[in-house]
Amino acid sequence: MENEMGRYPTVASKLEILEFIASKETATLGDLVNQFGYTAGAAAVRLCRLEHQRLIEKMWASKEGYCLTSRAYERLESLRRSRGKTYSQLLNEIDDLRRQLAEKESENQGLKNENIRLKTELSQIKSQYY
């Protein structure tokens, strides 16, 4: 099922595949097919790209199995750290937004009170002239 550009959609990101292989320690083409829904050809291309990037290597004991290289583990660790920073930053942003919301709600309540006071004052002025 090709998209408009004639390419097959990406089923899983590089990070997802690396995380998957890391969790299993070794993975085969069939594992990627089963886990991510790739065709055998698409899984082979993905594995070939990762191998070319020196992120995975074939296991010597098995011609079919792949494992992560030290470079891949370093990349995963770096991505995990940066993802953690992003998560922390998001928590800070949520706290800031909650604080701003509380301030706006307080301002809104103050405006509502002012509105009530002005309506009462207007009503008193009207009652004096009618």
Side-chain angles (χ1 to χ4, degrees):
M1 137 176 77
E2 293 183 25
N3 61 20
E4 307 82 44
M5 298 178 68
R7 295 184 181 158
Y8 292 92
T10 300
V11 177
S13 70
K14 181 189 305 186
L15 176 61
E16 290 171 317
I17 293 172
L18 293 176
E19 291 276 8
F20 174 70
I21 296 172
S23 72
K24 291 182 52 84
E25 295 185 14
T26 63
T28 64
L29 182 137
D31 292 332
L32 266 63
V33 168
N34 292 332
Q35 178 69 24
F36 300 109
Y38 282 119
T39 64
V45 167
R46 203 67 159 136
L47 289 170
C48 184
R49 286 182 185 158
L50 292 172
E51 190 174 20
H52 180 74
Q53 295 168 359
R54 296 181 313 205
L55 296 173
I56 62 170
E57 60 189 5
K58 286 185 181 176
M59 300 288 296
W60 289 105
S62 166
K63 292 182 180 180
E64 295 180 15
Y66 291 87
C67 65
L68 297 184
T69 63
S70 58
R71 179 180 177 161
Y73 281 109
E74 290 169 8
R75 174 93 45 100
L76 277 175
E77 186 58 35
S78 172
L79 289 169
R80 288 173 181 154
R81 275 194 309 260
S82 69
R83 193 176 357 163
K85 290 178 188 174
T86 303
Y87 181 73
S88 175
Q89 290 169 347
L90 287 174
L91 289 177
N92 289 338
E93 287 180 28
I94 289 170
D95 287 342
D96 288 343
L97 289 172
R98 284 184 177 147
R99 199 169 15 264
Q100 290 175 18
L101 179 61
E103 289 171 7
K104 295 298 180 188
E105 287 175 342
S106 177
E107 289 173 18
N108 190 29
Q109 187 60 47
L111 291 172
K112 285 180 181 179
N113 291 342
E114 180 68 10
N115 188 19
I116 291 169
R117 187 189 67 74
L118 289 172
K119 283 182 179 180
T120 303
E121 188 177 321
L122 179 60
S123 179
Q124 290 172 351
I125 292 171
K126 281 183 178 180
S127 68
Q128 290 175 0
Y129 291 103
Y130 296 112

